[in-house]
Amino acid sequence: MIGEFLTAAYPWVKSLHVISVVAWMAGLFYLPRLFVYHVERSRQGGEIDQLFQTMEHRLLRVIMNPAMIATWIFGAMLAFTPGVVDWGAVWPWTKALGILGLTWFHHWLGRRRKEFLSGVPPYSGRQFRLMNEVPTLALVIIVVSVIARPF
Ligand code: HEM
């Protein structure tokens, strides 16, 4: 019964999955860039500091958190659709590794935002630039796993 519903809904669920993935990725790339400029261009308690706090808060609350939850829900629906995932293959597991990396990074960014709130910039601009490579790496692993499926 549920299997039949998931099979019928498959193309729509996959579309919603990819849409939410794009929104989530946009935030995962943009928030660390905001942190770079926040560290390098603002003075604690100043007007620019306040502006960055608001932008970072809204980005996380309004876009990134809902997009991450939607990605997980639609992704799980796809994973439960009969015949979609061959659990004996390697690609679902490499993809899972990338997903865990992105989810960890999302929460890492959330913790850094709270540290900004307390007034102490947690990292330098250079360190945030470096961390910006995490979502890029995870994205490559995930897309190659799910589309090219070389393993
Ligand atoms: C959060 C947990 C996630 C789960 C449980 C999940 C699971 C799945 C499943 C089962 C499929 C269907 C594969 C098929 O139709 O053969 C799929 C498709 C897809 N996923 Fe995810 N996914 C998740 C997150 C992500 C993320 C973070 C990305 C990208 C960064 C992503 C990118 C894609 C793409 C591009 C497709 C379409 C592939 C195709 O054309 O068949 N997924 N996902």
Side-chain angles (χ1 to χ4, degrees), residues 10 13-15 17-18 20-22 24-25 28 67-81 83-87 91-92 95-96 98-100 102-103 135 138-149:
Y10 172 71
V13 175
K14 188 141 108 171
S15 305
H17 179 59
V18 174
S20 45
V21 157
V22 171
W24 189 24
M25 291 307 303
L28 290 172
M68 177 182 68
I69 291 165
T71 301
W72 270 96
I73 290 174
F74 295 128
M77 286 173 77
L78 290 171
F80 281 111
T81 305
V84 166
V85 180
D86 171 10
W87 296 104
W91 73 264
K95 177 171 178 177
I99 293 165
L100 288 180
L102 287 182
T103 305
L139 179 66
V140 171
I141 292 172
I142 290 172
V143 172
V144 169
S145 298
V146 84
I147 294 180
R149 299 187 186 180

Side-chain angles (χ1 to χ4, degrees), residues 5-70:
F5 167 74
L6 288 174
T7 301
Y10 172 71
W12 292 100
V13 175
K14 188 141 108 171
S15 305
L16 293 169
H17 179 59
V18 174
I19 291 166
S20 45
V21 157
V22 171
W24 189 24
M25 291 307 303
L28 290 172
F29 282 124
Y30 188 40
L31 189 54
R33 295 304 303 177
L34 282 180
F35 286 165
V36 168
Y37 295 119
H38 193 163
V39 172
E40 293 181 351
R41 303 289 163 89
S42 79
R43 183 177 42 81
Q44 196 205 327
E47 204 178 321
I48 297 177
D49 180 39
Q50 294 304 315
L51 181 64
F52 275 117
Q53 304 271 9
T54 308
M55 287 168 74
E56 290 156 4
H57 179 71
R58 296 231 175 111
L59 182 61
L60 251 174
R61 281 290 155 87
V62 180
I63 304 210
M64 293 174 65
N65 287 346
M68 177 182 68
I69 291 165

